Amino acid sequence: MKRYDRLKDIQRLDPERDFLEIYRITATYEFPWDITRALELALYRTYAVPRIGRLLAETAQLTERAQKRYDDTALLLDAVVEHGFDSDPGRTAIRRINQMHRSYDISNDDMRYVLCTFVVTPKRWLDSYGWRRLCGHELRACAAYYRTLGAHMGIKDLPLTYEDFERTLDAYEREHFGWDEGARAVSDATLELMASWYPRPLAPVVRGASLALLDDSLLRAFRYERPGPVARGLTRGALRLRARAVRLLPPRTTPHYARQNPEIKSYPGGYEVSALGTFPTLGTGGCPVPHLRRPDTPAG
């Protein structure tokens, strides 16, 4: 098999009918490392919406149990990619995702925005740092995959095409990105988690490189100092150099799933999909996180 043979296979498939197969090839054969990094950045972006970042801070899942929260998210999403929507593991993973989300007061708009980050951020990452760009079939399949996931999650008014996902994301970020103290705490905890995956002396370098990858809208929302041109140039240049090297390598012969990533550390003895995530205890208002409400505002 040659470097671009799988791309040719993808282009022979129907992106609306075969979207799971196309997305699986893209995520587990063509770009497993890049997709992992891009989805990390996708979730990170959501913290800059104060309503989302504040809720994550109040649950303490990403400030006090960051590694487990990271692992559970990756493994639940991975189960659907590996086994499909109609499989027992896939259905169990989606059920767990829904049980957790429905325990909190989360608006449909916020849920839809988070879904949009999963579609748009990988494409933009690969445009900049991938060994090739996604083709039209892959973009259509990615939109169909996450449109299907969103439907299983009960999200309404889903975008239809990649371009729709992108427009929705950009508009939402322009309107909603902003400062929140809790969101900044979640951001700091996430950067510390990523730095913890490397030897301790490298932690400041990893944090600096992570900040160098953030766009200015994120830096402003979290009130981080803008990295200098040298830090940005070195970080982004290193990723582009890696892409050139990967392009010269032979293609993968076996798929690589998120559960195989060394960053997953919480379950050395294995795990059950049904036991992943949290099991919040609901309060009287229907949400385990207390909210201040006006007397005329119904509980969500």
Side-chain angles (χ1 to χ4, degrees), residues 1-10 25-26 28-32 131-132 245-256:
M1 177 170 285
K2 297 180 181 179
R3 197 68 180 100
Y4 288 87
D5 283 353
R6 283 206 174 86
L7 176 58
K8 295 175 184 176
D9 291 340
I10 286 171
I25 293 171
T26 302
T28 69
Y29 281 97
E30 296 286 78
F31 305 105
W131 64 267
R132 67 167 175 84
V246 172
R247 191 180 300 125
L248 299 175
L249 296 175
R252 296 189 59 86
T253 58
T254 57
H256 181 93

Side-chain angles (χ1 to χ4, degrees), residues 44-229:
Y44 181 88
R45 294 194 74 82
T46 68
Y47 310 162
V49 175
R51 200 163 46 210
I52 297 174
R54 189 182 309 122
L55 176 61
L56 291 170
E58 290 169 343
T59 67
Q61 292 300 314
L62 274 165
T63 52
E64 297 178 11
R65 294 173 288 277
Q67 182 67 64
K68 184 179 185 304
R69 175 64 161 73
Y70 172 90
D71 294 351
D72 289 351
T73 301
L75 293 173
L76 287 168
L77 293 173
D78 187 55
V80 184
V81 175
E82 182 170 4
H83 302 286
F85 292 97
D86 297 327
S87 67
D88 286 341
R91 287 196 298 267
T92 300
I94 293 171
R95 184 164 55 249
R96 280 273 56 236
I97 292 169
N98 287 338
Q99 287 168 345
M100 287 185 288
H101 286 157
R102 290 169 184 168
S103 297
Y104 297 95
D105 294 330
I106 307 174
S107 72
N108 185 77
D109 287 351
D110 284 349
M111 294 280 285
R112 184 177 56 214
Y113 164 66
V114 174
L115 195 74
C116 288
T117 68
F118 294 166
V119 177
V120 177
T121 308
K123 191 266 186 187
R124 291 179 173 175
W125 174 280
L126 291 168
D127 282 351
S128 296
Y129 311 120
W131 64 267
R132 67 167 175 84
R133 295 190 174 199
L134 295 176
C135 71
H137 272 49
E138 287 170 308
L139 289 177
R140 289 175 62 191
C142 183
Y145 178 88
Y146 282 104
R147 197 169 64 237
T148 303
L149 179 61
H152 279 81
M153 294 172 64
I155 301 174
K156 300 178 178 61
D157 302 320
L158 291 165
L160 296 178
T161 67
Y162 171 81
E163 291 76 17
D164 292 338
F165 277 98
E166 188 171 49
R167 281 191 292 269
T168 302
L169 177 137
D170 288 339
Y172 210 66
E173 291 186 349
R174 282 194 300 270
E175 182 177 355
H176 293 284
F177 265 18
W179 163 258
D180 182 82
E181 185 176 357
R184 170 61 186 259
V186 173
S187 172
D188 288 340
T190 300
L191 294 174
E192 290 176 12
L193 171 66
M194 293 177 177
S196 74
W197 297 334
Y198 300 87
R200 187 176 295 274
L202 294 178
V205 176
V206 174
R207 179 183 172 86
S210 299
L211 289 172
L213 291 173
L214 303 184
D215 59 57
D216 288 347
S217 65
L218 283 171
L219 294 170
R220 287 193 298 269
F222 295 126
R223 298 184 181 176
Y224 289 128
E225 183 177 347
R226 192 175 190 271

